[in-house]
Amino acid sequence: MASGLVALLDDIAGLTRLAAASLDDVGAAATKAGTKAAGVVIDDTAVTPRYVVGLSPKRELPIIGKIALGSIRNKLLFLLPAALILSAIAPWSLAPLLMLGGAFLSFEGAEKVIEAFSGGHDADEDAAPTDPVALEKQKVSGAIRTDFILSAEIMVIALREVSDQPLLTQAVTLAIVAIAITAGVYGVVALIVKADDVGLYLARRPSSVAQAIGRGLVKGVPVLMQVLTVVGTAAMLWVGGDLLIHNAADVGVPAPADFVHHLAEGAGGGVLGWLIGAGIAGVVGLVVGGVIALVMHKVHGAKH
């Protein structure tokens, strides 16, 4: 009886160690996958605050909550099952899909660069409804649609990092990445959106220190938004170009990746090598995205 109990406890201990090792593997995979998706995450953080511009400050946090709920629904109910099915029945399609995603990110980044230099603006703003309820509904709907595209990129990038793992590990890793990134992005967005309100509150306090911090926040938020926009655009071009370069090797065109690797190694690797690789990827993203934007504008112009 005692030996049986000892054997049972030993089995339980073995299963516990196995579960702990599995959790470590999942945690490492989720961290790596989330890091790879960083460029998309930065852009998502930079893009989302504009959806509450022009709305009542009292509605800012509820709107961000609605968008966050839509984002997690996008990732867990639609994209995660689709990614797992894709991994199971058509793993060969990951590289082409990532290249398509890279082309889309490059296009989005190039569009922002073109708008910045041409002084363009979003045409949807001209057609925005004047009714506050309808405007809020339109903003939330538009944000969730945009989030779906960015979330699809995040999930496919994450899937690529764990495509050689068992299906359960893939599912848990993608779920962790989805929840962590959604919480991180919309948590930061909420802080950014309400930072000016906090600044105004502190600026009215009797303490000179609080007033100084408050004024700093009020003046700093617009600058932060501009910085995030620039960083987000650069990140999109970098990630888009990087996806195009490195996944081209998986579809039989290894020359671009080999070229970048050779230059990075020639620079001694490390930070300088990474900067060279990121710079080349950004240029590739800008060129490819610029060509796509030019074609899209020509097609759009021809229709009108």
Side-chain angles (χ1 to χ4, degrees):
M1 181 73 177
S3 62
L5 180 59
V6 170
L8 177 61
L9 291 174
D10 187 60
D11 289 342
I12 292 173
L15 289 172
T16 302
R17 286 193 296 271
L18 181 61
S22 298
L23 288 174
D24 287 342
D25 291 342
V26 168
T31 301
K32 185 178 180 182
T35 302
K36 285 285 185 177
V40 187
V41 173
I42 292 170
D43 183 70
D44 208 358
T45 306
V47 166
T48 304
R50 72 183 176 89
Y51 288 103
V52 298
V53 173
L55 298 174
S56 169
K58 293 181 180 179
R59 297 300 304 158
E60 288 174 344
L61 290 182
I63 289 169
I64 292 170
K66 288 181 181 180
I67 298 172
L69 184 61
S71 176
I72 201 68
R73 185 170 61 243
N74 284 341
K75 293 182 180 76
L76 295 183
L77 297 186
F78 303 116
L79 295 170
L80 191 152
L84 295 179
I85 292 171
L86 191 68
S87 177
I89 66 175
W92 52 267
S93 65
L94 290 181
L97 281 174
L98 285 168
M99 291 188 72
L100 284 174
F104 172 78
L105 289 174
S106 298
F107 164 69
E108 286 283 294
E111 277 275 82
K112 291 182 179 181
V113 172
I114 292 170
E115 287 178 6
F117 282 97
S118 66
H121 67 286
D122 191 348
D124 290 340
E125 292 178 0
D126 297 332
T130 55
D131 177 58
V133 175
L135 179 60
E136 178 176 322
K137 186 176 179 181
Q138 183 193 71
K139 294 270 189 178
V140 171
S141 177
I144 292 174
R145 283 197 304 272
T146 300
D147 175 89
F148 188 89
I149 297 170
L150 296 175
S151 292
E153 286 302 307
I154 290 169
M155 297 300 275
V156 174
I157 291 170
L159 177 62
R160 180 60 182 270
E161 296 303 311
V162 294
S163 59
D164 59 342
Q165 299 294 318
L167 190 64
L168 180 60
T169 301
Q170 292 181 25
V172 175
T173 300
L174 291 180
I176 290 173
V177 169
I179 294 169
I181 284 180
T182 302
V185 166
Y186 291 100
V188 170
V189 167
L191 289 174
I192 292 172
V193 166
K194 301 309 291 183
D196 54 350
D197 291 341
V198 173
L200 288 172
Y201 172 79
L202 291 175
R204 298 189 186 105
R205 305 299 294 171
S207 168
S208 59
V209 175
Q211 291 176 6
I213 294 173
R215 288 192 295 269
L217 282 173
V218 172
K219 293 179 180 178
V221 169
V223 176
L224 175 62
M225 291 299 299
Q226 292 176 355
V227 170
L228 273 177
T229 299
V230 173
V231 171
T233 300
M236 288 188 89
L237 294 172
W238 158 52
V239 174
D242 189 68
L243 288 173
L244 290 169
I245 291 169
H246 288 95
N247 286 285
D250 290 340
V251 296
V253 188
D258 291 342
F259 175 72
V260 172
H261 181 70
H262 176 72
L263 284 181
E265 279 196 338
V271 175
L272 181 58
W274 182 88
L275 288 173
I276 290 174
I280 294 173
V283 171
V284 169
L286 182 60
V287 171
V288 172
V291 170
I292 296 173
L294 179 62
V295 172
M296 294 292 289
H297 290 167
K298 290 288 186 183
V299 171
H300 183 74
K303 289 180 178 180
H304 292 76

